[in-house]
Amino acid sequence: MRIATVIAALAVVPSGIFAQSVDLVNPEFIARGSASYAKSCAVGYCHGSEGSAGRGPVLRDREWDPRKLFNTTHDGLPGTSMPAWKGILPQEEIWAITAYIVSLGAKAPAQSVIELGEAADELPRELSAEAQRCHDLFFDLTNEKRCSICHK
């Protein structure tokens, strides 16, 4: 009975490389995305606190196509200051940020569960301990020097 419950949870709630789908309305997944967003996207020259805009576009109160939003976050927008987060954040983390941004939208997504298909088989790239420490320092809005305000 317990094994069946764990397998069912793995199929719906992202959990490492075993996730086959993401639930964009799962409150725990959205909270995880909110924490990642605050560290990576809410900096002064990006999208601001809760998507209210910095120098980047406002993310609140819009309708989102979750797959397009994921792809933009994953691959970035060439020729703009929107970086590609692939190779920096694991795919699952980008989906969590996507779920958070969708939750800020004007209305609930038409499709709340996204099937990942073959993309779920990709192993996320992990940052080294030193790279993670630098990333966290760079995007830490509580740091007095706040590196990310000036440096892109």
Side-chain angles (χ1 to χ4, degrees):
M1 182 76 167
R2 288 183 186 169
I3 292 174
T5 303
V6 170
I7 291 171
L10 289 174
V12 178
V13 179
S15 179
I17 61 172
F18 300 107
Q20 298 298 311
S21 62
V22 290
D23 184 352
L24 297 174
V25 297
N26 179 315
E28 292 158 2
F29 196 50
I30 292 170
R32 177 177 169 188
S34 174
S36 293
Y37 175 93
K39 289 180 184 177
S40 303
C41 310
V43 294
Y45 62 84
C46 292
H47 300 288
S49 177
E50 298 179 351
S52 59
R55 292 183 188 162
V58 173
L59 302 177
R60 295 187 70 74
D61 302 322
R62 294 177 63 181
E63 285 188 43
W64 294 106
D65 176 325
R67 288 189 186 275
K68 288 181 183 176
L69 180 59
F70 171 85
N71 289 337
T72 299
T73 308
H74 186 268
D75 299 328
L77 292 173
T80 72
S81 59
M82 177 62 191
W85 288 95
K86 65 182 174 188
I88 297 171
L89 295 176
Q91 181 175 334
E92 183 179 317
E93 203 67 25
I94 296 171
W95 272 113
I97 291 170
T98 300
Y100 172 68
I101 294 170
V102 167
S103 78
L104 299 174
K107 64 181 192 176
Q111 182 181 4
S112 63
V113 177
I114 304 289
E115 298 298 325
L116 298 180
E118 293 181 20
D121 296 331
E122 295 178 14
L123 292 172
R125 179 176 174 227
E126 297 295 326
L127 295 177
S128 68
E130 182 179 4
Q132 184 64 51
R133 187 171 44 86
C134 292
H135 174 274
D136 293 345
L137 176 64
F138 184 82
F139 288 108
D140 183 359
L141 295 177
T142 63
N143 182 345
E144 186 177 315
K145 295 182 181 179
R146 296 179 22 206
C147 305
S148 62
I149 298 299
C150 299
H151 300 280
K152 295 181 183 180

